[in-house]
Amino acid sequence: MAAGLGGCSTAGYYAQAAHGHLDLLARARPVPEVLDDPATPPALREQLVRSQQIRDYAVAELHLPDNGSYRRYADLGRSAAVWNVVATPELSLQLKTWCFPVVGCIGYRGYYDRAAADALAAQLKAEGWEVAVYGVPAYSTLGWSDWLGGDPLLNTFVGWGEAELARMVFHELAHQVAYANGDTAFNESFATAVERIGGDRWLAQHGAPGSREAYDQMAERRADFRALTLAARTDLAALYASSASDDDKRRAKAERLARLRADYEAMKRERWGGYAGYDAWFARASNPSLAVQGAYNDLVPQFVRLFERLGGDFPRFYAEVRRLAALPMAERRAALQAAP
């Protein structure tokens, strides 16, 4: 969740955030109630049954929190839970941050209404920021809404394939395990590491016939996507840090983004058999979207190494991540990078 740009906008932002979240919770119904409802479509009923098996697995095998989260279902009547606004300077990959009580500073601002997100994006663009707006299928309240029933399953993701549904549930529950104030990359990379480890284990033990093959194919595409975007981020970061003039940087930036899109088209053609699932992302590729991609992935290898060093023991892993989360950011990052 995010905060405002000034006094009045801050009050308005918090009001929409509170109203939006309470509306989401008010729409939630216990999964057994939805399953017993004769009006529930068979496909949704099947997905909800599977979701509860995944939820039970998260507790029993991954030692994720055992609470009310993902035991209820809400249909929001829209395609995203919230829309996030992210921004960077024109010649930088450093995300603009907004700071809030409790959660600290984060590199996005979320809205329950797309028009409100677009309005902030327009304001930021007028101020000279490079801006991106993207829909988010789910978010975590970090366990703070347990007394209201926890975070529900949503129509925005419950219909996904088995592996993707499992990954989503594991990722969002991981945010309830450990949270470092003001360190988006640490928090998201940790949750991404848990979702990958958990997703692999779920499919190995409980995946439906054919799900492993579909998951492996998607995982290969994700790896290709990460490699392409990492190469672009590395090149752009070096460019922005160079002594070139701003005009030269702008020209080189445009050329690098054009090459990124061309590389993607070649990858689709040569490796993916024409799969076009990332078309929209590459069409809008920009500093902010590349920066967000880094937050979710850059520290994942370090978290996976830490998990393996601790013998694949989830409680020990979570305890160590919580210890790291309590450190000052520089010390936290150094300790994580030093993990053998």
Side-chain angles (χ1 to χ4, degrees), residues 8-174:
C8 293
S9 65
T10 298
Y13 178 80
Y14 282 132
Q16 72 86 29
H19 179 271
H21 185 62
L22 290 174
D23 175 70
L24 181 150
L25 293 178
R27 295 171 183 263
R29 302 161 59 198
V31 168
E33 178 183 314
V34 181
L35 293 175
D36 290 341
D37 187 341
T40 299
L44 174 58
R45 180 175 286 107
E46 181 179 347
Q47 287 295 101
L48 289 175
V49 169
R50 198 62 161 164
S51 77
Q52 298 310 283
Q53 296 168 345
I54 290 168
R55 185 66 181 88
D56 291 341
Y57 181 86
V59 175
E61 300 296 331
L62 307 184
H63 298 270
L64 289 166
D66 186 5
N67 54 32
S69 289
Y70 309 111
R71 299 294 190 183
R72 298 184 301 154
Y73 170 72
D75 188 336
L76 303 180
R78 59 181 187 262
S79 61
V82 294
W83 284 268
N84 279 353
V85 181
V86 290
T88 65
E90 179 190 12
L91 299 174
S92 171
L93 292 172
Q94 184 64 47
L95 286 170
K96 174 180 175 61
T97 58
W98 290 270
C99 299
F100 319 95
V102 183
V103 299
C105 299
I106 55 179
Y108 59 88
R109 197 174 181 198
Y111 287 88
Y112 289 86
D113 177 66
R114 175 62 192 258
D118 288 339
L120 174 61
Q123 176 184 340
L124 292 170
K125 287 178 183 177
E127 295 173 2
W129 296 90
E130 188 167 320
V131 185
V133 179
Y134 62 96
V136 177
Y139 62 87
S140 172
T141 58
L142 311 182
W144 299 329
S145 67
D146 282 354
W147 65 282
L148 293 171
D151 302 326
L153 297 158
L154 301 174
N155 67 293
T156 53
F157 67 86
V158 77
W160 291 358
E162 176 184 357
E164 300 309 304
L165 177 58
R167 285 167 60 102
M168 174 64 76
V169 171
F170 301 156
H171 183 106
E172 298 304 333
L173 285 171

Side-chain angles (χ1 to χ4, degrees), residues 6 47 78 103 115 158 161 176 215 273 289 291 293 296 332:
Q47 287 295 101
R78 59 181 187 262
V103 299
V158 77
Q176 298 184 19
Y215 177 83
S289 56
Q293 179 65 22
Y296 278 78
R332 175 192 313 135

